[in-house]
């Protein structure tokens, strides 16, 4: 496919890799929103990103920034700064990057799945939930106009093994925060430090309408487990989701009425869809025919 | 613009009853329309669009619980009529009547599972039954997917392999020069150098994509049924049934011989000329 | 490595949660109900299996590697044979019969071809490994057709599994990357007999899952209680 014409996706910051993926003298090709890019770290340490043509000719250079362990660029002129995740500044948190995993689905389906609690007992059985404790109790979900984000709050769900550091099943509190259409973080009860929240996040690189690369990360308080243990746990959870994500039809998220049926438990997703519609985002959505 | 695939207005065989046990789920494609086929614990088989009305997840990933089909994503359960009866995230609610999976007509006959649209006027598969010769004891050989369009299968029958009797009969095994001749539109003969008939195939269309083959060789006459399921323009599923002159001698070896014969047939049909 | 066994005693598996080859061993350890400890390897994104410390364990730089009272053994198929020979007193999984052992070994070798095709396609599609994807998928489909045909013909002669009418290590060795094939863009639609065989696996006592191979929730009721094989029918 060719570069999208969707101005909303173009004029926003998007992730293109982990900071560690770009080593000096090793230019890397990647895709973003249907456009081929080449990124290279130069001798002075800066990363330069260019759009390239099918034939490999350099077309134009793109702004770059390195933040939150990842590299960000844009194909247009972002109207706002890259979002902030202040918890990255808390030095006593353990940061764990899980690497980029490709998913044959729209990046928006990936974000929606991340915001969803109802699937825990069936998709993450014996870890994030199990029958018969399937009920999703009422909670709050809203578009926060002041920050232009979607938030969900007051969520509590019974989990068998909520985090690697959790011992025994218990009710776990959640908050969700969608910082931009393809990027989201969640806050959940921290087993080791009850006064803090553990953070898990997803940065999704929208490669094509139906293909993305997802970078999961954790910002947690965990003195017991090694980084490898934590990566395994997070990758396990994410690969349980992949089988669902690659089997949803249509591939794009439908924003028009009547395409998919929802229930009370789907509040966050409905707010997310409403927010996307207000923005006029097209990339990764399903168009009514 | 891509047209949404629809079921043809006809009975289409999608597999053998014996290959769909209670509680089992299968995925089949008819003319590019993807269906989930499942059997409840009462023994009833069902054919639906392979898509959950909630978030579009393929229902074939799901599971059968009692007489309901459940979706893997959020565990929504649908009864045999497609009605959603349980949404585990709000366990005490009654799902609205309008919340349904998209169902089709599904019956079993001759050891096969057949699918047709709900509004197909020939509701009764018995219409087909009267065309299949009575008193024949048909048994499944196997289902197989062939990379060949259903139309081409009939065009390419000019290469139908010698019947399995060749494996069984020492006399036939010793003959090295034999050739296939299309005698008439519906009759094929295998002959030796001296034009003596070694085997013959005669076919009769019961309905398009449902064809009976009479296969004679070494003094025995076996009847084969080809039930074809068009998957897309390049792929066809063949469900092969067999009724030999008599099943008693060694039914397992006979079925196995025809299963191996069908692999040869597939090889020939898949060769690009 | 995250945590090296501090004692040589006991059974350890150098493991990656997403590896089908490691899963073969985890699954067999579960079937045999053998106590063991997993040593997680940062296969991705860390490529720990290509680092000096791990290469000393397995110069091929591959997981899984088993360590049993200090005896180090790489290769999933080798590990299956070793575990069966040492710990399966019933001799059900690798019967002491020359012909059967020959036949099983044939499938163990075939399992490596499934790794070279279906697993390779999955590493390409999911983790972005650079390899010839068309070739991997083509070979994957060839292997799946062969397996499916074999299962069809076995069923005609009354066998539900690859070698016998019960599972052997031949089935375990072939199972994971067949069940995970779709993650590499290799659809299982054309292989109904292979799909039924995958389902049969999930009903075995002591079966365990891995990500991408979901459990059969149909074996439970809405209360989360399991049914035994007969109790399954609760209409
Ligand atoms: N024949 C080996 C193959 C194992 C294998 O391919 N392991 C993969 C992970 S599942 C691996 O370590 N690949 C790295 C490489 O081959 O370089 C076995 O069956 O154990
Ligand atoms: S998508 Fe099927 S239950 Fe939610
Ligand atoms: Fe999930």
């Amino acid at each position: 496919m060719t570069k999208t014409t969707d101005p909303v996706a173009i004029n926003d910051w998007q992730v293109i890799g982990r900071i560690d993926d770009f080593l000096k003298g090793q230019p890397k090709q990647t895709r973003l929103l249907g456009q081929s890019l080449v990124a290279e770290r130069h001798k002075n340490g800066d990363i330069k990103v260019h759009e390239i043509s099918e034939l490999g000719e350099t077309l134009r250079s793109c702004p770059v920034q390195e933040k939150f362990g990842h590299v960000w660029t844009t194909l247009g002129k972002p109207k706002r700064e890259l979002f902030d995740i202040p918890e990255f500044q808390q030095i006593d948190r353990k940061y764990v990057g899980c690497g980029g995993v490709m998913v044959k689905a729209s990046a928006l389906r990936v974000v929606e799945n991340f915001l969803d609690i109802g699937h825990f007992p069936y998709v993450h059985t014996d870890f994030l939930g199990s029958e018969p404790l399937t009920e999703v109790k009422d909670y709050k979900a809203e578009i926060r106009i002041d920050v232009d984000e979607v938030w969900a709050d007051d969520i509590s769900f019974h989990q068998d093994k909520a985090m690697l550091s959790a011992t025994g099943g218990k009710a776990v509190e959640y908050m969700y925060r969608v910082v931009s259409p393809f990027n989201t973080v969640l806050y959940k009860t921290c087993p080791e430090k009850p006064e803090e929240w553990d953070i898990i996040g997803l940065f999704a690189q929208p490669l094509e309408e139906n293909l993305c690369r997802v970078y999961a990360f954790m910002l947690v308080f965990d003195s017991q487990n090694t980084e490898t243990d934590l990566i395994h746990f997070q990758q396990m959870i994410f690969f349980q989701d992949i089988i669902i994500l690659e089997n949803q039809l249509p591939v794009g998220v439908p924003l028009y009425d009547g395409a998919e049926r929802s229930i009370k438990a789907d509040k966050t997703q409905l707010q997310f869809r409403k927010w996307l519609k207000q923005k006029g985002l097209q990339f990764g959505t399903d168009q009514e025919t | 613009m891509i047209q949404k695939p629809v079921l043809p207005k006809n009975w289409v065989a999608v597999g053998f009853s014996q290959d769909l046990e209670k509680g089992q789920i299968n995925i089949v494609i008819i003319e590019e329309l993807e269906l989930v086929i499942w059997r409840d614990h009462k023994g009833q088989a069902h054919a639906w669009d392979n898509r959950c009305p909630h978030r579009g997840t393929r229902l074939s990933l799901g599971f059968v619980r009692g007489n309901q089909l459940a979706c893997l994503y959020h565990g929504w359960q649908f009864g045999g009529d497609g009605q959603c009866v349980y949404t585990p995230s709000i366990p005490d609610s009654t799902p609205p009547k309008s919340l349904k999976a998209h169902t089709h007509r599904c019956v079993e006959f001759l050891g096969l599972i057949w699918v047709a649209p709900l509004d197909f006027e020939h509701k009764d598969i018995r219409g087909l039954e009267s065309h299949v010769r009575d008193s024949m004891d048909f048994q499944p050989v196997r289902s197989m997917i062939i990379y060949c369009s259903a139309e081409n299968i009939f065009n390419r029958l000019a290469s139908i392999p010698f019947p399995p009797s060749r494996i069984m009969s020492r006399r036939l095994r010793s003959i090295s020069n034999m050739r296939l001749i299309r005698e008439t539109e519906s009759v094929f003969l295998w002959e030796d150098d001296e034009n003596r008939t070694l085997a013959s195939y005669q076919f009769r269309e019961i309905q398009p994509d449902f064809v009976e083959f009479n296969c004679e060789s070494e003094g025995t006459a076996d009847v084969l049924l080809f039930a074809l399921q068009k998957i897309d323009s390049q792929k066809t599923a063949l469900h092969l049934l067999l009724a030999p002159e008599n099943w008693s001698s060694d039914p397992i070896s006979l079925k196995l011989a025809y299963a191996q014969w069908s692999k040869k047939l597939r090889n020939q049909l898949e060769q690009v000329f | 490595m995250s945590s090296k066994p501090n004692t040589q005693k006991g059974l350890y598996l150098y493991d990656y949660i997403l590896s089908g080859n490691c899963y073969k061993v985890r699954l067999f350890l579960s079937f045999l109900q053998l106590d063991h400890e997993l040593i997680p390897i940062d296969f991705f994104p860390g490529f720990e299996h290509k680092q000096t410390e791990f290469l000393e364990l397995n110069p091929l730089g591959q997981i899984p590697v088993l360590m049993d009272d200090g005896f180090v053994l790489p290769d999933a198929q080798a590990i299956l044979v070793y575990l069966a020979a040492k710990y399966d007193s019933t001799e059900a999984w690798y019967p002491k019969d020359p012909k059967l052992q020959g036949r099983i070994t044939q499938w163990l070798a075939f399992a490596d071809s499934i790794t070279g095709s279906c697993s390779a396609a999955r590493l390409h599609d999911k983790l972005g490994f650079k390899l010839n994807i068309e070739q991997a998928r083509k070979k994957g489909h060839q292997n799946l057709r062969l397996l499916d045909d074999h299962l069809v013909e076995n069923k005609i002669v009354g066998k539900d599994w690859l070698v016998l009418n019960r599972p052997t290590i031949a089935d375990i060795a072939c199972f994971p990357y067949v069940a995970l094939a779709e993650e590499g863009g290799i659809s299982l639609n054309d292989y109904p007999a292979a799909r039924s065989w995958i389902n049969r696996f999930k009903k075995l006592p002591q079966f365990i899952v891995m990500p991408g191979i979901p459990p059969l929730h149909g074996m439970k009721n809405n209360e989360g209680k399991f049914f035994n094989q007969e109790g399954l029918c609760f209409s």
Side-chain angles (χ1 to χ4, degrees), chain C residues 29-158:
Chain C
L29 288 167
S30 175
F31 285 147
L32 294 177
Q33 296 191 264
L34 288 176
D35 275 342
H36 62 278
E37 200 174 303
L38 298 177
I39 303 164
I41 293 296
D42 182 5
F43 182 91
F44 185 84
F47 294 93
E48 192 182 348
H49 58 296
K50 298 295 179 198
Q51 288 164 20
T52 324
E53 204 183 335
F54 188 85
L55 290 175
E56 277 170 24
L57 215 54
N58 179 9
L60 288 174
Q62 293 179 329
I63 45 169
V65 174
L66 184 84
M67 179 141 44
D68 186 14
D69 285 348
F71 172 64
V72 176
L73 185 64
D75 194 282
Q77 285 61 242
I79 296 170
L80 294 178
V81 170
Y82 170 79
L83 289 175
K86 180 157 180 199
Y87 294 105
D88 175 23
S89 53
T90 67
E91 288 173 23
W93 294 96
Y94 187 57
K96 278 214 181 86
D97 171 292
K99 283 188 181 147
L100 288 177
Q101 292 195 341
R103 195 62 80 203
I104 289 171
T105 308
Q106 195 188 336
W107 287 105
L108 298 183
F110 183 72
D112 243 344
S113 177
I114 298 176
T115 300
S117 51
C118 296
S119 162
R122 176 172 172 264
L123 289 173
H124 172 276
D125 278 16
K126 289 279 124 343
L127 303 185
F129 284 30
K130 299 260 178 294
L131 49 89
N132 185 334
I133 184 63
E134 278 77 30
Q135 198 182 307
R137 291 207 187 112
K138 188 169 171 217
K139 183 75 188 153
H141 277 292
Q142 285 169 0
N143 284 338
L144 285 168
R145 177 178 271 196
L146 199 146
L147 183 101
D148 192 75
D149 282 348
H150 180 78
L151 287 166
V152 165
E153 288 166 17
N154 261 10
K155 186 156 184 197
I156 292 175
V157 301

Side-chain angles (χ1 to χ4, degrees), chain A residues 113 116 119-120 123-124 128 237 241:
Chain A
N113 169 266
D116 182 89
H119 73 285
F120 290 168
V123 179
H124 307 298
L128 305 186
I237 298 293
D241 287 318

Side-chain angles (χ1 to χ4, degrees), chain A residues 15-63:
Chain A
V15 70
I16 56 164
R18 297 181 313 151
I19 286 176
D20 304 353
D21 290 339
F22 301 95
L23 304 174
K24 280 182 192 163
Q26 293 180 22
K28 289 192 79 171
Q29 271 208 38
T30 187
R31 299 273 293 174
L32 182 63
L33 300 166
Q35 171 64 50
S36 292
L37 299 177
V38 63
E40 181 173 7
R41 191 179 292 281
H42 287 254
K43 286 210 182 70
N44 67 358
D46 290 350
I47 298 182
K48 297 265 183 284
V49 175
H50 290 92
E51 289 186 20
I52 55 168
S53 71
E54 299 302 311
L55 302 169
E57 307 140 316
T58 304
L59 298 177
R60 59 179 278 272
S61 100
C62 309

Side-chain angles (χ1 to χ4, degrees), chain A residues 248, chain B residues 52-57 59 71-78:
Chain A
Q248 281 178 280
Chain B
C52 177
H54 183 210
R55 287 292 175 266
T57 309
L59 287 168
C71 174
L72 179 65
Y73 200 176
H74 308 93
W76 286 16
Q77 293 181 13
F78 303 87

